[in-house]
Amino acid sequence: MVSRVIPVDVFDLVVFGGTGDLARRKILPGLYIRFRAGQMPEESCIIGAARAEMTDEGYRAFVGAAIAEFVAKDKQDAAVIAKFLARLAYVSIDATGENGWAKLAGLVRKGVVRAFYFSVAPSLFGDLAERLHAHGMADPESRIVVEKPFGRDLASAKALNAVLAAHFDEGQIYRIDHYLGKETVQNLMAVRFANILFEPLWNAQYVDHVQITVAETVGVGGRGSYYDQSGAMRDMVQNHMMQLLCLIAMEPPYKFDPDAVRDEKLKVIRALDPVPPEDIVRGQYRGGPRKDGSGEPSYCEDAGDAQSRTESYIALKVKVSNWRWQGTPFYLRTGKKLRGRESEIAITFKEPPHSIFGDEEGWRENVLAIRLQPNEGMNLTVMIKEPGPGGMRLTEVPLDMSFAEALGDEGADIPDAYERLIMDVIRGNQTLFMRGDEVEAAWAWTDPIIQGWEARGDKPRGYDPGSSGPEDALMLLHRDGRRWREIRE
Ligand code: NAP
């Protein structure tokens, strides 16, 4: 199978925070890969911008080192890297002052696509928008890209939206949620809406429940005090997991068009029921011995606050109150320091209404599992007859589709989410970006949940590092007669 690389229009991309961690690890290596693939036209320019003083040459060396560190060795091609680096420039600029702005305005060309990536703290978004406007760069052709966290509650999200809306139309604002850039997440839409097979079954009549898991093995480590201000609900559920839930639960949009898709996602968020306290389990990882006998810090030690009540794990039972999903729960869980690193959506279908085979042992429901990581792909378990002459015994087998395997060489080259999303910004396609009203609706649902546990003074339950989370999370499903899927090591 040959995938086509369609070059985007010539662009100038300014990366504010161009020396930061995100730029170094994701944005700049991702742009190099798109350049190497022939998608980024050679006349395009990337301008790094941050306060540090640096020459263009110094910035090229910085980006060259980032490519050496974060791009797979077999994609590091000296001649291509040299060509790519020649397309880079650097401006020392202060978002909060006047330094550097006139130089930037002189560098950014008219007549090409102009994009401004705000890879800086959200507290600087307003300053950047204001100065881009003041220096004549906020024209209708320009677009801005903003990173999470988009607010920490409804009020702050509204304030951020207002700050951006003062100088940019909604159609120019690209709110990145890198989960939406994953191949599998888009495939979820393809599977649902390009096949007749699943959609007739995609409702409460046939779907027993849905599980969405985002498990990490790492703790909050060096960014503990930062993480402690947010916690798993704000960091993962309000944005990434909410987006996944929307893509599963939404009605077919009339067209694969940015606003048509986002309208349907918004309806799902608005249909979410408030979550009662008994349907929420929060956890914090305990400390533990390492294999080498040394101690491993607990969450509170990592966060630097012995009394912290922030959750490093959360599990919730979520109900979507509409005709399609009445009675089908969505179980969401995410956490740090769990036994495996895994992101998965699993749709468990109901049992057939009547078994002609009697009460067979080993009976399993059909499950469609969509793996986001590792090894993006899909797996559908179906029941078949166990081979051999031993009568009609049933066994389950997976119909497994690993994208990397199924697509051969092309599969091995699945673009990173950031690569795809940045190219979508240049193409002017907002389908995979969150609209302002979606973000606000997600906070409107999240706020009362967080306020509830804060008002009650709930303490998260402890769980052992390397486990599947707190015991109470198991009960959340057990009491409904269900089980979490195993988190694989
Ligand atoms: P970071 O490593 O702290 O980098 C911040 C960047 O902003 C640096 O280049 C810094 O350079 C620049 N900067 C700071 N103050 C500035 C000012 N007044 N004017 C101009 N530039 C300024 O942060 P990061 O991890 O890259 O994160 C950037 C944004 O992406 C944040 O909003 C973060 O929440 C979000 N994000 C990051 C990740 C990630 O994996 N890192 C993931 C998701 C979202 P100077 O100090 O030289 O100015």
Side-chain angles (χ1 to χ4, degrees), residues 274-304:
V275 185
E278 63 273 19
D279 287 349
I280 305 169
V281 178
R282 295 163 67 237
Q284 261 183 2
Y285 56 82
R286 302 189 181 101
R290 280 211 193 98
K291 282 183 187 138
D292 64 7
S294 64
E296 197 162 333
S298 66
Y299 174 80
C300 287
E301 285 164 338
D302 273 343

mmCIF file of all heavy atoms in Angstrom, residues 274-304:
data_model
loop_
_atom_site.group_PDB
_atom_site.id
_atom_site.type_symbol
_atom_site.label_atom_id
_atom_site.label_comp_id
_atom_site.label_asym_id
_atom_site.label_seq_id
_atom_site.Cartn_x
_atom_site.Cartn_y
_atom_site.Cartn_z
ATOM 1 N N PRO A 274 -23.745 14.494 35.356
ATOM 2 C CA PRO A 274 -22.825 14.745 36.475
ATOM 3 C C PRO A 274 -22.406 13.394 37.060
ATOM 4 O O PRO A 274 -23.182 12.432 37.006
ATOM 5 C CB PRO A 274 -23.674 15.529 37.480
ATOM 6 C CG PRO A 274 -24.886 15.976 36.738
ATOM 7 C CD PRO A 274 -25.085 15.036 35.592
ATOM 8 N N VAL A 275 -21.191 13.314 37.590
ATOM 9 C CA VAL A 275 -20.729 12.019 38.120
ATOM 10 C C VAL A 275 -20.824 12.037 39.649
ATOM 11 O O VAL A 275 -20.198 12.874 40.298
ATOM 12 C CB VAL A 275 -19.272 11.731 37.696
ATOM 13 C CG1 VAL A 275 -18.844 10.340 38.147
ATOM 14 C CG2 VAL A 275 -19.121 11.865 36.187
ATOM 15 N N PRO A 276 -21.645 11.138 40.228
ATOM 16 C CA PRO A 276 -21.773 11.130 41.692
ATOM 17 C C PRO A 276 -20.490 10.603 42.347
ATOM 18 O O PRO A 276 -19.735 9.854 41.709
ATOM 19 C CB PRO A 276 -22.934 10.157 41.946
ATOM 20 C CG PRO A 276 -23.000 9.305 40.728
ATOM 21 C CD PRO A 276 -22.455 10.095 39.579
ATOM 22 N N PRO A 277 -20.253 10.966 43.627
ATOM 23 C CA PRO A 277 -18.991 10.579 44.289
ATOM 24 C C PRO A 277 -18.742 9.077 44.261
ATOM 25 O O PRO A 277 -17.597 8.642 44.137
ATOM 26 C CB PRO A 277 -19.178 11.055 45.735
ATOM 27 C CG PRO A 277 -20.286 12.027 45.699
ATOM 28 C CD PRO A 277 -21.108 11.777 44.481
ATOM 29 N N GLU A 278 -19.805 8.270 44.344
ATOM 30 C CA GLU A 278 -19.582 6.813 44.384
ATOM 31 C C GLU A 278 -19.099 6.247 43.045
ATOM 32 O O GLU A 278 -18.676 5.095 42.979
ATOM 33 C CB GLU A 278 -20.845 6.067 44.864
ATOM 34 C CG GLU A 278 -22.066 6.200 43.983
ATOM 35 C CD GLU A 278 -22.921 7.437 44.306
ATOM 36 O OE1 GLU A 278 -22.404 8.364 44.955
ATOM 37 O OE2 GLU A 278 -24.090 7.472 43.878
ATOM 38 N N ASP A 279 -19.161 7.066 41.989
ATOM 39 C CA ASP A 279 -18.692 6.590 40.681
ATOM 40 C C ASP A 279 -17.300 7.129 40.337
ATOM 41 O O ASP A 279 -16.883 7.124 39.170
ATOM 42 C CB ASP A 279 -19.692 6.997 39.583
ATOM 43 C CG ASP A 279 -20.969 6.161 39.656
ATOM 44 O OD1 ASP A 279 -20.974 5.157 40.399
ATOM 45 O OD2 ASP A 279 -21.958 6.520 38.991
ATOM 46 N N ILE A 280 -16.599 7.629 41.370
ATOM 47 C CA ILE A 280 -15.258 8.181 41.144
ATOM 48 C C ILE A 280 -14.292 7.525 42.127
ATOM 49 O O ILE A 280 -14.594 7.437 43.325
ATOM 50 C CB ILE A 280 -15.212 9.705 41.440
ATOM 51 C CG1 ILE A 280 -16.265 10.447 40.624
ATOM 52 C CG2 ILE A 280 -13.819 10.274 41.191
ATOM 53 C CD1 ILE A 280 -16.460 11.890 41.050
ATOM 54 N N VAL A 281 -13.151 7.063 41.631
ATOM 55 C CA VAL A 281 -12.095 6.573 42.533
ATOM 56 C C VAL A 281 -10.818 7.324 42.195
ATOM 57 O O VAL A 281 -10.383 7.330 41.039
ATOM 58 C CB VAL A 281 -11.852 5.054 42.361
ATOM 59 C CG1 VAL A 281 -10.714 4.601 43.270
ATOM 60 C CG2 VAL A 281 -13.112 4.271 42.651
ATOM 61 N N ARG A 282 -10.270 7.988 43.205
ATOM 62 C CA ARG A 282 -9.004 8.704 42.997
ATOM 63 C C ARG A 282 -7.903 8.004 43.776
ATOM 64 O O ARG A 282 -8.143 7.451 44.850
ATOM 65 C CB ARG A 282 -9.128 10.148 43.463
ATOM 66 C CG ARG A 282 -10.115 10.949 42.638
ATOM 67 C CD ARG A 282 -10.528 12.215 43.357
ATOM 68 N NE ARG A 282 -9.441 13.143 43.491
ATOM 69 C CZ ARG A 282 -9.002 13.641 44.640
ATOM 70 N NH1 ARG A 282 -9.541 13.271 45.790
ATOM 71 N NH2 ARG A 282 -8.013 14.502 44.665
ATOM 72 N N GLY A 283 -6.703 8.004 43.211
ATOM 73 C CA GLY A 283 -5.597 7.322 43.884
ATOM 74 C C GLY A 283 -4.305 8.109 43.822
ATOM 75 O O GLY A 283 -4.153 9.037 43.017
ATOM 76 N N GLN A 284 -3.393 7.724 44.698
ATOM 77 C CA GLN A 284 -2.038 8.300 44.709
ATOM 78 C C GLN A 284 -1.070 7.131 44.861
ATOM 79 O O GLN A 284 -1.294 6.260 45.713
ATOM 80 C CB GLN A 284 -1.858 9.167 45.956
ATOM 81 C CG GLN A 284 -2.030 10.625 45.734
ATOM 82 C CD GLN A 284 -1.773 11.429 47.004
ATOM 83 O OE1 GLN A 284 -1.432 10.882 48.056
ATOM 84 N NE2 GLN A 284 -1.939 12.730 46.905
ATOM 85 N N TYR A 285 0.005 7.113 44.071
ATOM 86 C CA TYR A 285 0.930 5.983 44.230
ATOM 87 C C TYR A 285 1.744 6.106 45.510
ATOM 88 O O TYR A 285 2.079 7.194 45.946
ATOM 89 C CB TYR A 285 1.818 5.781 43.002
ATOM 90 C CG TYR A 285 2.656 6.955 42.543
ATOM 91 C CD1 TYR A 285 3.877 7.259 43.149
ATOM 92 C CD2 TYR A 285 2.240 7.731 41.470
ATOM 93 C CE1 TYR A 285 4.655 8.324 42.696
ATOM 94 C CE2 TYR A 285 3.012 8.801 41.022
ATOM 95 C CZ TYR A 285 4.216 9.084 41.642
ATOM 96 O OH TYR A 285 4.976 10.140 41.196
ATOM 97 N N ARG A 286 1.952 4.926 46.096
ATOM 98 C CA ARG A 286 2.770 4.872 47.308
ATOM 99 C C ARG A 286 4.237 4.789 46.897
ATOM 100 O O ARG A 286 4.551 4.578 45.734
ATOM 101 C CB ARG A 286 2.441 3.623 48.121
ATOM 102 C CG ARG A 286 0.993 3.505 48.534
ATOM 103 C CD ARG A 286 0.826 2.351 49.529
ATOM 104 N NE ARG A 286 -0.562 2.199 49.913
ATOM 105 C CZ ARG A 286 -1.390 1.279 49.420
ATOM 106 N NH1 ARG A 286 -0.958 0.399 48.529
ATOM 107 N NH2 ARG A 286 -2.644 1.213 49.819
ATOM 108 N N GLY A 287 5.121 4.907 47.876
ATOM 109 C CA GLY A 287 6.533 4.639 47.617
ATOM 110 C C GLY A 287 6.732 3.137 47.597
ATOM 111 O O GLY A 287 5.847 2.372 47.986
ATOM 112 N N GLY A 288 7.880 2.695 47.139
ATOM 113 C CA GLY A 288 8.112 1.257 47.131
ATOM 114 C C GLY A 288 9.570 0.944 46.944
ATOM 115 O O GLY A 288 10.320 1.808 46.481
ATOM 116 N N PRO A 289 9.963 -0.261 47.293
ATOM 117 C CA PRO A 289 11.364 -0.622 47.085
ATOM 118 C C PRO A 289 11.649 -0.855 45.608
ATOM 119 O O PRO A 289 10.813 -1.379 44.885
ATOM 120 C CB PRO A 289 11.512 -1.922 47.886
ATOM 121 C CG PRO A 289 10.140 -2.471 47.976
ATOM 122 C CD PRO A 289 9.168 -1.355 47.852
ATOM 123 N N ARG A 290 12.824 -0.432 45.171
ATOM 124 C CA ARG A 290 13.249 -0.724 43.793
ATOM 125 C C ARG A 290 13.918 -2.085 43.777
ATOM 126 O O ARG A 290 14.274 -2.622 44.815
ATOM 127 C CB ARG A 290 14.266 0.326 43.331
ATOM 128 C CG ARG A 290 13.650 1.608 42.876
ATOM 129 C CD ARG A 290 14.520 2.238 41.773
ATOM 130 N NE ARG A 290 14.088 3.615 41.543
ATOM 131 C CZ ARG A 290 14.679 4.665 42.068
ATOM 132 N NH1 ARG A 290 15.741 4.504 42.855
ATOM 133 N NH2 ARG A 290 14.239 5.870 41.845
ATOM 134 N N LYS A 291 14.111 -2.596 42.540
ATOM 135 C CA LYS A 291 14.765 -3.908 42.424
ATOM 136 C C LYS A 291 16.156 -3.877 43.052
ATOM 137 O O LYS A 291 16.626 -4.858 43.605
ATOM 138 C CB LYS A 291 14.850 -4.315 40.958
ATOM 139 C CG LYS A 291 13.515 -4.837 40.443
ATOM 140 C CD LYS A 291 13.608 -5.315 39.014
ATOM 141 C CE LYS A 291 12.202 -5.668 38.515
ATOM 142 N NZ LYS A 291 11.926 -5.232 37.199
ATOM 143 N N ASP A 292 16.839 -2.723 42.922
ATOM 144 C CA ASP A 292 18.198 -2.654 43.474
ATOM 145 C C ASP A 292 18.195 -2.385 44.978
ATOM 146 O O ASP A 292 19.245 -2.157 45.580
ATOM 147 C CB ASP A 292 19.012 -1.576 42.746
ATOM 148 C CG ASP A 292 18.431 -0.171 42.968
ATOM 149 O OD1 ASP A 292 17.494 -0.019 43.781
ATOM 150 O OD2 ASP A 292 18.922 0.779 42.339
ATOM 151 N N GLY A 293 17.021 -2.415 45.595
ATOM 152 C CA GLY A 293 16.939 -2.279 47.048
ATOM 153 C C GLY A 293 16.764 -0.844 47.516
ATOM 154 O O GLY A 293 16.399 -0.597 48.668
ATOM 155 N N SER A 294 16.979 0.130 46.621
ATOM 156 C CA SER A 294 16.795 1.519 47.038
ATOM 157 C C SER A 294 15.301 1.851 47.062
ATOM 158 O O SER A 294 14.486 1.113 46.505
ATOM 159 C CB SER A 294 17.538 2.454 46.084
ATOM 160 O OG SER A 294 16.969 2.343 44.804
ATOM 161 N N GLY A 295 14.962 2.957 47.678
ATOM 162 C CA GLY A 295 13.549 3.306 47.793
ATOM 163 C C GLY A 295 13.051 4.063 46.583
ATOM 164 O O GLY A 295 13.804 4.734 45.895
ATOM 165 N N GLU A 296 11.769 3.923 46.275
ATOM 166 C CA GLU A 296 11.170 4.685 45.186
ATOM 167 C C GLU A 296 10.216 5.686 45.827
ATOM 168 O O GLU A 296 9.450 5.301 46.714
ATOM 169 C CB GLU A 296 10.407 3.726 44.276
ATOM 170 C CG GLU A 296 10.116 4.312 42.949
ATOM 171 C CD GLU A 296 9.771 3.219 41.920
ATOM 172 O OE1 GLU A 296 10.222 2.083 42.062
ATOM 173 O OE2 GLU A 296 9.028 3.558 41.009
ATOM 174 N N PRO A 297 10.252 6.955 45.420
ATOM 175 C CA PRO A 297 9.446 7.950 46.125
ATOM 176 C C PRO A 297 7.940 7.757 45.931
ATOM 177 O O PRO A 297 7.491 7.260 44.896
ATOM 178 C CB PRO A 297 9.892 9.276 45.502
ATOM 179 C CG PRO A 297 10.512 8.912 44.206
ATOM 180 C CD PRO A 297 11.032 7.519 44.316
ATOM 181 N N SER A 298 7.191 8.147 46.935
ATOM 182 C CA SER A 298 5.735 8.143 46.821
ATOM 183 C C SER A 298 5.309 9.380 46.030
ATOM 184 O O SER A 298 6.120 10.282 45.781
ATOM 185 C CB SER A 298 5.103 8.210 48.212
ATOM 186 O OG SER A 298 5.416 9.470 48.785
ATOM 187 N N TYR A 299 4.015 9.431 45.686
ATOM 188 C CA TYR A 299 3.523 10.616 44.979
ATOM 189 C C TYR A 299 3.790 11.876 45.796
ATOM 190 O O TYR A 299 4.274 12.880 45.257
ATOM 191 C CB TYR A 299 2.013 10.501 44.676
ATOM 192 C CG TYR A 299 1.512 11.791 44.091
ATOM 193 C CD1 TYR A 299 1.707 12.081 42.751
ATOM 194 C CD2 TYR A 299 0.923 12.772 44.902
ATOM 195 C CE1 TYR A 299 1.336 13.301 42.215
ATOM 196 C CE2 TYR A 299 0.545 13.996 44.374
ATOM 197 C CZ TYR A 299 0.750 14.254 43.025
ATOM 198 O OH TYR A 299 0.391 15.475 42.513
ATOM 199 N N CYS A 300 3.481 11.820 47.101
ATOM 200 C CA CYS A 300 3.633 13.022 47.926
ATOM 201 C C CYS A 300 5.089 13.474 47.967
ATOM 202 O O CYS A 300 5.374 14.674 47.946
ATOM 203 C CB CYS A 300 3.114 12.768 49.347
ATOM 204 S SG CYS A 300 1.312 12.696 49.377
ATOM 205 N N GLU A 301 6.007 12.509 47.995
ATOM 206 C CA GLU A 301 7.429 12.894 47.965
ATOM 207 C C GLU A 301 7.774 13.532 46.625
ATOM 208 O O GLU A 301 8.460 14.549 46.564
ATOM 209 C CB GLU A 301 8.304 11.669 48.235
ATOM 210 C CG GLU A 301 8.293 11.275 49.711
ATOM 211 C CD GLU A 301 8.823 9.861 49.954
ATOM 212 O OE1 GLU A 301 8.819 9.028 49.027
ATOM 213 O OE2 GLU A 301 9.215 9.586 51.092
ATOM 214 N N ASP A 302 7.290 12.935 45.532
ATOM 215 C CA ASP A 302 7.543 13.519 44.208
ATOM 216 C C ASP A 302 6.959 14.924 44.105
ATOM 217 O O ASP A 302 7.540 15.813 43.483
ATOM 218 C CB ASP A 302 6.915 12.644 43.106
ATOM 219 C CG ASP A 302 7.849 11.528 42.653
ATOM 220 O OD1 ASP A 302 9.062 11.605 42.933
ATOM 221 O OD2 ASP A 302 7.349 10.566 42.030
ATOM 222 N N ALA A 303 5.782 15.107 44.707
ATOM 223 C CA ALA A 303 5.108 16.411 44.616
ATOM 224 C C ALA A 303 5.693 17.414 45.609
ATOM 225 O O ALA A 303 5.409 18.609 45.513
ATOM 226 C CB ALA A 303 3.614 16.240 44.870
ATOM 227 N N GLY A 304 6.482 16.931 46.549
ATOM 228 C CA GLY A 304 7.070 17.818 47.550
ATOM 229 C C GLY A 304 6.043 18.334 48.533
ATOM 230 O O GLY A 304 6.190 19.431 49.086
#
